Amino acid sequence: KIFDAIVVGGGHNGLVCSAYLAKEGKNVLVLERRHLVGGAAVTEELYEGFKYSRASYVFSLFRPRISKELDLPRHGLKLYHRNPSSFTPLLDGRSLTLGSDMEANQREIAKFSIRDSLQYARYEEWLRRLVKTIDPYLDAPPLDPSFSLPNWWEQFSPLLACGSNLMLLGKDLPSFYEMLTAPASKILNRWFDSEPLKATLAIDAVVGVMTSPEICGSGYVLF
């Protein structure tokens, strides 16, 4: 049998690519060596009575556009909000628990620093502003250096949207540049004093990338 495309690996990325190709009328073959598909995003009973996600600990990088275009909820996709989102135990018996409730988060942080508890709400709002700036570009295809004039708008409209949002940042524009280029530790040290909070937030900058929060560019992953 002749296929238009062969996708090696039935992980979530391979399945998404295959689904989009099939949606365009292509005849697609997906090859997977395991007894089930899903890759890192599968849930399995590793111990009797206990089910775990094999590797994927959050769903945040899976773009909502994909879920909508492939109508994944109709096919059984159900998301569970991670709350609390983190628990940081300390050797002295204290701990820091963070979740989706801002007031509860501030009470937790206040156990270590009153100033940090007030700063945290400002920090989250600052991050939200920066995310809005770059978000339009995340779903855009890479620029094609061989583009032709008829499709110039498709190529450059995401860049124009990103540029417009950058202008709206105003005085926050330098901090946006710093977020993309600086170490996460530099950013967190400027915002906060308490080590438990900084350590908890720094996890987002290093998880899955085998690097250090002292490395330039790790600040970007704080998004």
Side-chain angles (χ1 to χ4, degrees):
K1 189 173 181 180
I2 298 178
F3 296 95
D4 296 309
I6 298 176
V7 178
V8 180
H12 60 289
N13 291 316
L15 293 176
V16 167
C17 291
S18 304
Y20 273 108
L21 287 168
K23 193 176 178 183
E24 293 299 315
K26 304 299 182 183
N27 191 16
V28 185
L29 172 66
V30 180
L31 301 176
E32 171 57 54
R33 69 175 179 175
R34 298 196 69 213
H35 66 285
L36 78 170
V37 296
V42 301
T43 298
E44 294 186 86
E45 190 175 44
L46 303 184
Y47 303 96
E48 186 176 355
F50 294 89
K51 294 183 178 181
Y52 301 85
S53 172
R54 266 292 189 182
S56 181
Y57 69 104
V58 290
F59 202 65
S60 60
L61 294 180
F62 196 90
R63 301 298 295 159
R65 176 179 176 180
I66 297 173
S67 181
K68 180 180 179 180
E69 291 180 349
L70 298 181
D71 200 10
L72 296 183
R74 186 171 65 86
H75 295 285
L77 176 65
K78 184 177 181 180
L79 302 182
Y80 296 90
H81 291 286
R82 187 178 59 148
N83 191 36
S85 56
S86 66
F87 171 71
T88 306
L90 305 181
L91 293 176
D92 62 8
R94 295 181 299 167
S95 64
L96 174 63
T97 302
L98 299 179
S100 58
D101 187 318
M102 177 57 71
E103 290 185 1
N105 290 340
Q106 290 180 305
R107 287 194 297 271
E108 282 285 303
I109 297 169
K111 296 188 298 186
F112 303 93
S113 167
I114 298 295
R115 175 185 176 274
D116 284 0
S117 69
L118 300 175
Q119 281 283 86
Y120 185 70
R122 302 184 188 108
Y123 172 76
E124 287 288 297
E125 179 57 32
W126 176 71
L127 280 184
R128 272 192 288 271
R129 287 195 68 201
L130 301 190
V131 167
K132 284 182 180 179
T133 300
I134 202 170
D135 195 59
Y137 199 62
L138 294 181
D139 289 326
L143 287 177
D144 182 0
S146 63
F147 81 96
S148 56
L149 286 178
N151 69 348
W152 73 272
W153 178 251
E154 180 183 348
Q155 285 279 311
F156 284 98
S157 59
L159 281 178
L160 293 174
C162 189
S164 298
N165 289 338
L166 282 173
M167 294 301 100
L168 293 175
L169 283 177
K171 62 182 179 61
D172 282 333
L173 187 57
S175 62
F176 176 75
Y177 175 78
E178 183 182 50
M179 172 64 84
L180 297 179
T181 58
S185 58
K186 179 180 179 180
I187 295 166
L188 294 173
N189 284 334
R190 189 175 71 245
W191 278 92
F192 305 112
D193 298 322
S194 60
E195 292 300 319
L197 177 60
K198 289 189 287 185
T200 300
L201 298 177
I203 292 173
D204 288 334
V206 299
V207 67
V209 292
M210 302 295 289
T211 188
S212 159
E214 304 290 338
I215 298 294
C216 290
S218 58
Y220 165 73
V221 197
L222 290 171
F223 281 135

